[in-house]
């Protein structure tokens, strides 16, 4: 291997790493300072008595974040042109007033949430009790307003009964009601991740630099290592890698009339079928469901396709392995690279669907570069591990067929995580594909950066699985020839 070429390649990788870190910081700065939180809203079941002058409606609330910036309240003026004013006051347990808002009743929609932005956000009351007092002015019987209340929480398509403590029931003139008011509190939790971001980036860069220098020193002494192997594949065997990728790509569409067009049509047709089923028959009310669904399909298809073709990458190339010497890593890596081409082509219909549905494009879409690089590392590790295991145990192919189906249903592709019981969510979130797909959906649908923990989870999954896959493949590769 030409050491000069290897050094140039490593310098380019370092430049890309710094550029990616800078891009993430510039786009995700706000999300590294604060993360938005919203309290659960109850499903409306009935309305309170009409609120008129001389009456007071009170509701105990719990502040969901470090800062409370707005809230939504469901009221009903009964489609009347009622005159009068509502005065809403937030008070602490000791009676201190921390925020006040007023609204003309004529501006309230019927049976819908009305949003209120606080003039001054409430800070420093996270997890503490806060009381909302509602009074009317200029409202006589027959011209007042009522408020919706409930005692169930919507979870997907199911209503779950919420056990509401006695002190959290709404009160009207001191008398307890039958539920809690339908209110959504919105705020943010303060984060300090932005203070440590560059420290973390610097530590990762320093560790990578120290490891690279150590590997280059070993290479001068004639010892093989991972860095030498990667540089060898990308420099010396670059042409062969390109030919293997082209072969896999042509093989997939061999004798196909539409050919490469299936990379566009396949995810679109799958999305249309599942969209009709889950949005019409099962009445999914997920916002922008088309983009939500297609994002899951495109990302999971890349994962599934890479492993399906990479699983037999060693056994299918037995004749080449027996005749020509080259790093055996190149075969599974070429399969993942071939699937990457299909992924990039399938990403075009996703962008078109976003454009067609009126989705908002933002700079957060650039963060998908980080998401995909982590996914690429995770998938490569899986392919290295399974292709090596497949060489010794042919049953792996059949076992993976069952496991991939279970994995697909355990990933929120066509459903939302709201239908998962709360006690199972921590286990559910440990699914790496959940992390990668959710990361992409936040960037595409919400138009913002995910929380800092999402970056760490994506990187951790990629690094751990890639390390295990590369270690196992390297340990067993010399035994492949005995089983081919």
């Amino acid at each position: 291997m030409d050491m000069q070429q290897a050094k140039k390649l490593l310098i380019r990788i370092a430049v890309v790493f710094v550029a990616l870190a800078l891009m993430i910081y510039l786009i995700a700065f706000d999300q590294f300072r604060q993360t938005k939180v919203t309290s659960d809203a109850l499903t409306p079941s009935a309305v309170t008595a009409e609120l008129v002058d001389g009456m007071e409606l009170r509701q105990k609330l719990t502040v969901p974040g470090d800062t409370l910036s707005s809230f939504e309240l469901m009221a009903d003026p009964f489609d009347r042109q009622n005159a009068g004013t509502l005065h809403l006051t937030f008070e602490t347990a000791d009676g201190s007033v921390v925020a006040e808002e007023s609204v003309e009743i004529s501006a309230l929609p019927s049976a819908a949430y009305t949003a209120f932005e606080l003039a001054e956000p409430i800070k420093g009351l996270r997890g503490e009790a806060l009381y909302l007092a509602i009074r009317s002015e200029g409202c006589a019987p027959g011209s007042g307003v009522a408020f919706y209340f409930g005692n169930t929480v919507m979870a997907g398509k199911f209503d779950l009964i919420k056990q509401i403590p006695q002190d959290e029931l709404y009160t009207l003139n001191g008398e307890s009601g039958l539920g809690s008011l339908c209110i959504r509190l919105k705020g943010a939790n303060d984060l300090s991740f932005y203070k440590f971001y560059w420290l973390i980036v610097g530590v990762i860069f320093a560790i990578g630099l120290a490891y690279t220098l150590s590997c280059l020193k070993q290479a001068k002494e004639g010892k093989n290592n991972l860095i030498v192997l990667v540089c060898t594949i990308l420099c010396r065997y670059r042409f062969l890698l390109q030919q293997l990728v082209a072969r896999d790509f042509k093989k997939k569409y061999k004798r196909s009339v539409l050919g490469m067009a299936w990379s566009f049509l396949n995810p679109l047709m799958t999305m249309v079928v599942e969209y009709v089923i889950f949005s019409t028959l099962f009445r999914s009310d997920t916002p922008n469901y088309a983009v939500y669904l297609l994002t899951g399909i495109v990302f999971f298809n890349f994962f599934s396709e890479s492993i399906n073709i990479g699983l037999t990458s060693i056994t299918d190339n037995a004749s080449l392995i027996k005749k020509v010497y080259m790093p055996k890593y190149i075969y599974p890596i070429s399969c993942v690279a071939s699937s990457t081409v299909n992924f990039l082509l399938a990403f075009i219909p996703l962008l078109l669907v976003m454009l067609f549905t009126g989705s908002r494009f933002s700079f957060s879409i650039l963060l998908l570069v980080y998401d995909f690089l982590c996914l690429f590392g995770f998938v490569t590790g899986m392919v290295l591990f399974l292709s090596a295991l497949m060489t010794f145990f042919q049953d792996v192919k059949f076992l993976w067929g069952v496991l991939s189906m279970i994995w697909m249903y355990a990933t929120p592709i066509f459903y939302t995580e709201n239908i998962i019981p709360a006690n199972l969510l921590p286990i559910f979130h440990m699914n790496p594909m959940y992390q990668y797909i959710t990361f992409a959906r936040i960037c595409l649908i919400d138009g913002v950066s995910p929380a800092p923990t999402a970056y760490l989870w994506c990187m951790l999954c990629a690094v751990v699985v890639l390390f295990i896959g590369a270690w196992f493949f390297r340990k067993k590769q010399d035994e492949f020839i005995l089983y081919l």
Side-chain angles (χ1 to χ4, degrees):
M1 181 190 66
D2 187 349
M3 292 298 295
Q4 195 63 29
Q5 278 188 322
K7 290 179 180 179
K8 289 181 180 179
L9 176 62
L10 293 171
I11 290 174
R12 291 173 186 169
I13 293 175
V15 171
V16 171
F17 174 84
V18 174
L20 183 62
L22 181 60
M23 181 188 72
I24 291 173
Y25 184 78
L26 293 176
I27 296 176
F29 180 73
D30 290 338
Q31 282 71 42
F32 287 171
R33 292 179 62 92
Q34 286 186 330
T35 179
K36 294 182 180 180
V37 293
T38 303
S39 63
D40 292 330
L42 296 176
T43 303
S45 59
V47 293
T48 65
E50 188 178 30
L51 185 69
V52 296
D53 291 358
M55 301 175 67
E56 181 184 72
L57 185 65
R58 293 181 68 86
Q59 176 67 63
K60 180 181 178 181
L61 306 168
T62 301
V63 181
D66 296 318
T67 301
L68 178 62
S69 56
S70 65
F71 67 98
E72 295 178 350
L73 181 64
M74 182 177 280
D76 195 345
F78 306 106
D79 292 319
R80 301 178 304 208
Q81 293 299 318
N82 296 346
T85 305
L86 279 183
H87 298 288
L88 303 98
T89 306
F90 282 101
E91 303 172 359
T92 59
D94 60 4
S96 301
V97 176
V98 293
E100 291 182 294
E101 293 292 329
S102 296
V103 62
E104 295 299 320
I105 294 179
S106 59
L108 296 176
S110 293
Y113 277 102
T114 301
F116 297 88
E117 289 288 337
L118 298 180
E120 290 291 335
I122 302 173
K123 299 181 179 180
L125 295 178
R126 181 180 182 182
E128 296 187 17
L130 201 63
Y131 295 86
L132 173 63
I134 306 175
R135 304 175 185 87
S136 65
E137 181 182 351
C139 293
S143 63
V145 63
F147 297 86
Y148 280 87
F149 68 89
N151 57 7
T152 61
V153 179
M154 179 67 79
K157 284 297 167 188
F158 306 98
D159 283 338
L160 303 180
I161 300 296
K162 181 179 180 181
Q163 298 298 327
I164 302 176
Q166 183 67 26
D167 65 337
E168 291 185 10
L169 298 173
Y170 77 85
T171 62
L172 186 60
N173 283 354
E175 295 185 8
S176 297
L178 300 177
S180 293
L181 297 182
C182 294
I183 300 175
R184 276 199 291 253
L185 302 179
K186 296 186 176 183
N189 284 329
D190 296 330
L191 302 176
S192 57
F193 184 76
Y194 72 99
K195 298 179 181 178
F196 307 100
Y197 177 80
W198 287 112
L199 176 62
I200 295 173
V201 170
V203 169
I204 295 174
F205 185 84
I207 293 174
L209 180 61
Y211 179 71
T212 300
L213 293 176
S214 174
C215 290
L216 291 177
K217 182 179 179 181
Q218 293 177 15
K220 290 181 179 179
E221 298 172 356
K223 299 178 182 179
N224 290 324
N225 53 69
L226 182 61
I227 295 296
V228 172
L229 178 66
V230 171
C231 292
T232 300
I233 292 176
L234 295 179
C235 295
R236 183 181 299 175
Y237 296 100
R238 180 174 57 186
F239 176 76
L240 178 60
L241 182 61
Q242 292 173 348
Q243 295 304 308
L244 290 174
V245 171
R247 183 199 66 177
D248 291 339
F249 193 75
K250 292 176 182 177
K251 182 180 178 181
K252 181 177 181 179
Y253 299 112
K254 186 178 181 181
R255 297 177 183 174
S256 171
V257 176
L258 296 179
M260 192 174 63
W262 281 111
S263 293
F264 299 88
L265 294 176
N266 186 47
L268 277 177
M269 293 173 68
T270 303
M271 183 211 71
V272 170
V273 172
E274 295 189 358
Y275 182 84
V276 171
I277 293 174
F278 294 102
S279 67
T280 304
L281 299 183
F282 291 95
R283 298 181 182 178
S284 174
D285 54 1
T286 303
N288 208 343
Y289 186 63
V291 177
Y292 180 93
L293 178 59
L294 190 54
T295 302
I297 292 173
V298 169
F299 275 75
F300 196 87
N301 278 359
F302 167 71
F303 167 74
S304 180
E305 178 187 301
S306 297
I307 296 181
N308 285 337
I309 64 176
L311 194 62
T312 58
S313 58
I314 299 299
T315 55
D316 288 349
N317 291 284
S319 57
L320 281 175
I321 293 175
K322 292 178 181 179
K323 295 177 182 178
V324 182
Y325 172 77
M326 63 185 72
K328 298 179 181 65
Y329 289 88
I330 200 170
Y331 299 108
I333 290 177
S334 68
C335 293
V336 182
S338 175
S339 296
T340 300
V341 177
N342 289 325
F343 172 83
L344 295 176
L345 292 174
F347 200 78
I348 297 175
L350 175 57
L351 296 177
L352 293 177
V353 169
M354 289 182 62
L355 188 64
F356 180 77
T357 57
S359 300
R360 180 172 62 91
F361 287 83
S362 66
F363 286 111
S364 63
I365 197 172
L366 299 176
L367 297 175
L368 293 180
V369 175
Y370 174 88
D371 187 33
F372 179 74
L373 287 176
C374 291
L375 177 59
F376 184 90
F378 172 76
V379 170
T380 302
M382 289 285 295
V383 170
L384 288 172
F385 180 83
L386 292 174
S387 62
L389 196 61
M390 174 70 183
T391 307
F392 305 104
F393 306 103
Q394 296 293 314
D395 294 342
V396 171
K397 178 169 60 176
F398 306 104
L399 290 173
W400 172 251
V402 177
L403 181 60
S404 63
M405 182 177 63
I406 296 174
W407 204 323
M408 180 187 70
Y409 286 112
T411 304
I413 299 174
F414 49 83
Y415 63 88
T416 63
E417 64 178 282
N418 292 335
I419 67 174
I420 305 298
N423 59 329
L424 296 180
L425 280 177
I427 299 175
F428 186 78
H429 290 168
M430 292 178 68
N431 176 2
M433 288 308 299
Y434 164 84
Q435 297 294 336
Y436 295 122
I437 292 176
T438 302
F439 190 108
R441 283 170 173 161
I442 292 174
C443 294
L444 294 173
I445 299 175
D446 298 339
V448 298
S449 165
T453 52
Y455 290 87
L456 299 178
W457 261 111
C458 290
M459 180 186 294
L460 182 64
C461 292
V463 171
V464 171
V465 174
L466 182 59
F467 174 81
I468 294 174
W471 171 81
F472 184 76
F473 192 97
R474 183 178 182 183
K475 183 179 180 180
K476 296 295 182 180
Q477 64 177 340
D478 292 337
E479 302 177 29
F480 290 169
I481 195 68
L482 302 176
Y483 293 85
L484 295 177

